[in-house]
Amino acid sequence: MADVIQPPKDSFQSRIKARYFATRRDTVITVVFAALVAWVLWSLIDWALLNATFAPNAGDICREDLHGGACWSVVSTRWRIVLFGLYPFEEQWRSAIACAVMVAVAVLSCVPWFWSAKRLAPLWVVGFAVFYILMRGGFFGLTEVTEQNWGGLSLTIFIFSGTSLLGMPLAIIFALLRRSKLPWIARTMALVIDTIRSLPLLSIMFTFAIVLPFVLPDGLTGDKLYRVIIGYALFFACYQAEIIRGGMQALPAGQEEAAKALGLGYWHRIGYIVLPQAFRNALPPTINQFVITVKETSLVTIIGFFDVMASGRAASGTAEWNFAVIEMYVFVGLIFLVFVFSLSRYGAYLERRLGVGKR
Amino acid sequence: MTSLLKDTRIRDTGLQAAFVGSILLLFAVFIVTARANLEAQGLTSGFGFLERSTGWRISFSLIEYSTSSTYARAILVGILNSLFLGAIALPLATVIGITVGVMRTSGNGMAELVGTTFVELFRNVPLILQLLFWYTLLLALPSPREIEPLFGSIALTGRGIYIPGLNVTGGSAFVVALLVLAGLGLSLWAKSKRWPDLQAGQARRERRILWSVVTILAVIALWIGRIPETPLISIPQQKGLNFREGIRISPELMACVIAISIYGAAYIAEIVRAGFNAVPNGQTEAGNALGLSNWHIFSRIRLPLAIRIVMPTLINQYVWLFKATTIGIAISFTDFFMVISTSINQSGQTLELIAILMGGFLIINYTISWVLNRVNDAIKLKGTQLRI
């Protein structure tokens, strides 16, 4: 053992050299990019921190400010509109708690202990019910606030959680139907899924919001918000169904055959053998799908809902604040970045942990 | 009765008939209700309205269009605008995406940091927010009166971006675009079918002939299409409150191009990075052993191999990006989707227009994936060499 020569330990300097200054060309690239990064960082700090105005209600100061710094005053004055929209001022604590509950539900579903239908489904249903009761009121002495007054971040969260809650079971049904042994069912489902997948989400949303009342008998149309959520869920389900189907295809055929040989019925085979393993295979793309869904909720702005994006525009849209639009976009962008970035990091972590693709 | 249900064949047939039947029934209800609603509004269903004139304006159009043009013409304008936007934004996204993907796999710490920041920043913020952000920035550019053109010919103003252009008719520009496309298609076809069987010199000669013919034909087309009594090149010039001459790129188009190409680039960069990581190290080492320069190892070995690996993923990404161009409606860029939605508001022919929208997207998306799949067939490794 004593004869074994250890490889020389990489010193800090040699690692830096290999990483940043390996060749002359690398040195040039490093210096150029470092200068670029330094310049961008410095102008950003200069704009966003050093020359910025933070105090609320300082619109006049911002207007006269000649340094050209950011006017965060618009955020500190009007953040309530971005988070809660037109929700009544005295009741906004309810909206805040409701959002916190839904975020907690999303965080809890990332804990492996919850990864079974028996735990995940009640978690989401209860969380969603609490969210709805808190937001809508009308029970337990809470004053009623109808959906027309919902807005801001809470509306975004409502649309997202509604879409997931409806879309996930729908996706499982679609995937099973598409995989059906009965040719007509499988083919029809494939046609429906492929058609919806080849259309832009915007056109689906538009169809559900504006066209559906026109082609449905009166009394079945419902509220515009719920129609849009159903449209979203349908779109989500078609993509997610393909992801689940991919997970199922990665399963060795022996798994289902063994279950059949043991005499398990269809629902037992699907529920205990196929789906759990398919979801395990499909976990990284599923998280990715949720990432895309969070971002795409912002499209409802176009058909006139006051989600977090539209509220941001509205908050800086008045004559008093119309010069601070960029600051508002940055603020809304940061809200999305926090949610989406953490979700996509979590997806990358899962991918490494499960080692999917490395086996 | 129970014995009937237990017969799997009868049960299967019944199930299938019920499933397909219920979907057909759903559509039948839609159509019947829509008919009834149309009649209540005094409209007739059918595609006759396409011949009527629209009466509304379109701010940006590649072909002749006025308020007295027909609905069919307006829809054509929309489709052309969408294709135009896609034709600029998708290649741009590819170029930026490959650059960032290369940066992220370069092994240089600083380049990787910049690439990673780019990807994480632009991938994790909704496209519509980015679009509005760029649009606001573009509108905040100085007004044409206060600006001194760069190099005397390019002007970035809040009313649009002015660049030099050629004084030719739209028709000849279209012919030139077609010629270049035909040249590309022909060279791709030859690359997969003809040139592999020829000697290297012969293939190179044929490629040269092909592109010389394309260039000569393009020059002739431009010469014929010249607008008489104007200089060949038109340069933007300050005249009063605005710029004249040259080509004006509207802020709407520009914002769409920037937003979609950057958002798409962030996704394409990730795909390209995965492709580079999938190229075995042995390939690079073999190139080094042969004494190839770093540039040749990159351009002749790693890039082609990586592109081959990720081509199927890239095809899906292009289809998806093309669908994302519909976002233009948020800043009133008159693309296909916006023309359809305006037409629905104005004419009330909902079902027909939705059918046109769906049909249009199906055709365009299938065409994109068909063409790119042919490209994939042309560049993928052939049977005997399949060792990646």
Side-chain angles (χ1 to χ4, degrees):
Chain A
M1 282 301 278
D3 294 341
V4 176
I5 302 168
Q6 294 287 330
K9 269 251 168 74
D10 279 356
S11 70
F12 180 68
Q13 278 161 333
S14 69
R15 258 185 297 153
I16 290 285
K17 189 169 177 344
R19 196 106 176 84
Y20 295 95
F21 305 105
T23 62
R24 196 176 297 156
R25 206 189 48 174
D26 271 315
T27 312
V28 172
I29 292 175
T30 303
V31 170
V32 168
F33 278 124
L36 183 78
V37 168
W39 178 72
V40 168
L41 261 183
W42 176 248
S43 353
L44 209 60
I45 290 172
D46 199 47
W47 177 77
L49 297 175
L50 299 183
N51 283 329
T53 315
F54 290 94
N57 299 314
D60 300 333
I61 301 174
C62 287
R63 264 183 203 284
E64 288 158 19
D65 185 13
L66 300 174
H67 306 298
C71 182
W72 299 118
S73 185
V74 63
V75 177
S76 53
T77 314
R78 314 203 66 174
W79 58 274
R80 276 174 184 269
I81 295 182
V82 180
L83 294 192
F84 308 120
L86 295 175
Y87 212 75
F89 185 83
E90 319 76 60
E91 307 289 335
Q92 283 176 359
W93 58 274
R94 276 159 52 187
S95 186
I97 296 178
C99 288
V101 167
M102 227 42 232
V103 171
V105 165
V107 171
L108 281 180
S109 8
C110 294
V111 178
W113 188 80
F114 278 101
W115 289 353
S116 74
K118 280 197 188 118
R119 289 173 186 157
L120 216 48
L123 178 73
W124 275 81
V125 170
V126 170
F128 193 72
V130 170
F131 181 93
Y132 185 78
I133 290 171
L134 270 174
M135 289 291 289
R136 174 82 198 226
F139 309 92
F140 316 122
L142 299 171
T143 42
E144 188 171 333
V145 183
T146 52
E147 281 88 343
Q148 276 78 31
N149 292 322
W150 299 9
L153 186 62
S154 29
L155 186 66
T156 298
I157 289 182
F158 180 70
I159 294 174
F160 170 72
S161 43
T163 304
S164 319
L165 203 58
L166 259 179
M168 203 41 130
L170 209 57
I172 296 174
I173 296 172
F174 281 7
L176 292 178
L177 284 177
R178 180 153 195 189
R179 244 178 114 258
S180 163
K181 280 199 304 289
L182 308 176
W184 278 96
I185 290 183
R187 264 180 232 157
T188 318
M189 204 61 234
L191 185 70
V192 170
I193 289 180
D194 287 344
T195 311
I196 291 181
R197 273 162 55 97
S198 67
L199 292 172
L201 172 57
L202 208 50
S203 71
I204 304 272
M205 224 167 59
F206 185 79
T207 311
F208 272 78
I210 291 152
V211 182
L212 213 56
F214 188 75
V215 298
L216 274 179
D218 295 339
L220 278 180
T221 49
D223 191 67
K224 186 174 161 195
L225 178 61
Y226 293 102
R227 286 203 308 273
V228 167
I229 290 180
I230 291 173
Y232 259 116
L234 192 67
F235 190 77
F236 172 84
C238 287
Y239 275 83
Q240 183 60 27
E242 289 295 278
I243 293 173
I244 296 174
R245 193 167 70 99
M248 285 178 180
Q249 273 179 0
L251 274 193
Q255 293 283 337
E256 211 179 344
E257 284 164 11
K260 248 184 215 168
L262 287 172
L264 293 185
Y266 178 78
W267 294 110
H268 281 113
R269 287 203 305 272
I270 295 296
Y272 292 108
I273 312 289
V274 177
L275 276 182
Q277 299 190 69
F279 264 102
R280 186 186 182 282
N281 287 338
L283 207 47
T286 304
I287 301 280
N288 192 26
Q289 192 55 41
F290 278 115
V291 168
I292 293 174
T293 310
V294 174
K295 282 190 292 176
E296 282 179 340
T297 51
S298 56
L299 285 181
V300 289
T301 310
I302 294 176
I303 47 170
F305 284 104
F306 272 86
D307 75 321
V308 61
M309 243 214 61
S311 307
R313 286 178 88 183
S316 59
T318 57
E320 189 191 352
W321 292 108
N322 58 7
F323 60 93
V325 183
I326 290 291
E327 282 86 345
M328 214 55 195
Y329 285 155
V330 171
F331 178 60
V332 174
L334 283 177
I335 294 179
F336 272 106
L337 202 63
V338 168
F339 282 110
V340 177
F341 183 69
S342 34
L343 197 54
S344 65
R345 284 295 92 194
Y346 171 70
Y349 156 77
L350 268 188
E351 204 162 342
R352 280 199 305 278
R353 203 189 87 138
L354 295 173
V356 174
K358 297 270 179 194
R359 285 173 302 167
Chain B
M1 192 64 201
T2 41
S3 64
L4 261 182
L5 278 175
K6 276 192 180 143
D7 184 335
T8 39
R9 220 173 43 194
I10 294 174
R11 203 187 59 182
D12 286 354
T13 320
L15 272 177
Q16 300 192 56
F19 183 75
V20 178
S22 54
I23 286 185
L24 289 180
L25 187 70
L26 197 65
F27 275 101
V29 168
F30 284 171
I31 290 171
V32 168
T33 328
R35 279 258 166 93
N37 279 337
L38 270 179
E39 270 164 27
Q41 291 176 13
L43 294 166
T44 48
S45 53
F47 289 93
F49 73 99
L50 287 174
E51 302 296 325
R52 293 210 307 265
S53 65
T54 54
W56 33 273
R57 289 178 351 101
I58 291 182
S59 55
F60 173 76
S61 167
L62 293 173
I63 54 175
E64 213 60 39
Y65 176 85
S66 67
T67 48
S68 56
S69 299
T70 60
Y71 273 95
R73 186 98 182 156
I75 291 170
L76 183 66
V77 168
I79 292 179
L80 284 179
N81 283 355
S82 278
L83 290 177
F84 184 64
L85 174 58
I88 301 175
L90 265 50
L92 208 57
T94 313
V95 173
I96 305 175
I98 290 181
T99 314
V100 175
V102 169
M103 275 162 66
R104 291 196 73 186
T105 48
S106 64
N108 182 307
M110 214 61 207
E112 281 174 22
L113 177 75
V114 173
T116 310
T117 315
F118 176 89
V119 169
E120 295 297 350
L121 189 63
F122 290 112
R123 225 168 55 130
N124 290 332
V125 174
L127 175 59
I128 180 170
L129 184 59
Q130 297 187 32
L131 180 70
L132 291 170
F133 178 84
W134 295 120
Y135 188 52
T136 312
L137 279 190
L138 285 174
L139 287 184
L141 286 171
S143 77
R145 247 164 56 179
E146 307 160 354
I147 210 160
E148 191 60 33
L150 296 168
F151 314 115
S153 57
I154 300 171
L156 308 170
T157 76
R159 293 226 193 132
I161 290 168
Y162 293 86
I163 55 169
L166 295 172
N167 265 329
V168 295
T169 56
S172 70
F174 183 68
V175 169
V176 171
L178 275 188
L179 275 172
V180 173
L181 276 182
L184 278 178
L186 211 59
S187 77
L188 259 173
W189 169 83
K191 195 171 172 158
S192 69
K193 293 276 151 62
R194 183 169 162 80
W195 290 339
D197 307 330
L198 298 180
Q199 284 182 341
Q202 180 77 22
R204 203 179 305 140
R205 207 170 308 133
E206 284 193 5
R207 184 179 302 145
R208 258 182 222 155
I209 293 171
L210 174 67
W211 286 110
S212 327
V213 170
V214 168
T215 317
I216 292 168
L217 285 179
V219 170
I220 293 174
L222 287 178
W223 193 256
I224 293 173
R226 266 191 71 171
I227 299 170
E229 291 165 30
T230 51
L232 181 62
I233 297 172
S234 84
I235 293 171
Q237 277 151 2
Q238 252 156 339
K239 286 243 174 79
L241 294 179
N242 221 331
F243 276 86
R244 295 278 160 75
E245 307 290 314
I247 296 175
R248 170 176 173 266
I249 307 171
S250 68
E252 288 82 23
L253 177 65
M254 199 63 204
C256 281
V257 167
I258 297 179
I260 291 166
S261 55
I262 287 188
Y263 187 69
Y267 275 90
I268 290 177
E270 279 297 90
I271 296 173
V272 170
R273 185 173 72 108
F276 275 118
N277 285 340
V279 174
N281 276 338
Q283 300 281 352
T284 315
E285 286 159 12
N288 270 326
L290 288 171
L292 295 182
S293 69
N294 277 335
W295 169 247
H296 273 143
I297 291 177
F298 171 75
S299 66
R300 298 294 169 93
I301 299 177
R302 288 180 62 219
L303 185 64
L305 287 175
I307 293 294
R308 275 170 185 163
I309 294 170
V310 298
M311 199 62 200
T313 329
L314 269 183
I315 296 173
N316 285 335
Q317 195 64 35
Y318 285 128
V319 171
W320 181 78
L321 261 184
F322 186 77
K323 287 194 291 173
T325 60
T326 49
I327 197 92
I329 195 176
I331 55 170
S332 322
F333 175 71
T334 12
D335 65 347
F336 187 25
F337 182 66
M338 178 150 174
V339 168
I340 293 284
S341 89
T342 317
S343 303
I344 289 180
N345 279 336
Q346 297 290 328
S347 74
Q349 306 281 355
T350 316
L351 276 192
E352 295 83 358
L353 284 161
I354 286 287
I356 293 175
L357 178 73
M358 293 192 170
F361 266 100
L362 282 178
I363 292 171
I364 295 173
N365 283 338
Y366 273 116
T367 315
I368 293 179
S369 58
W370 186 84
V371 169
L372 290 176
N373 275 319
R374 295 290 81 71
V375 174
N376 188 29
D377 290 345
I379 66 170
K380 77 180 175 199
L381 292 176
K382 303 296 179 293
T384 52
Q385 321 168 317
L386 201 67
R387 268 209 306 266
I388 277 244

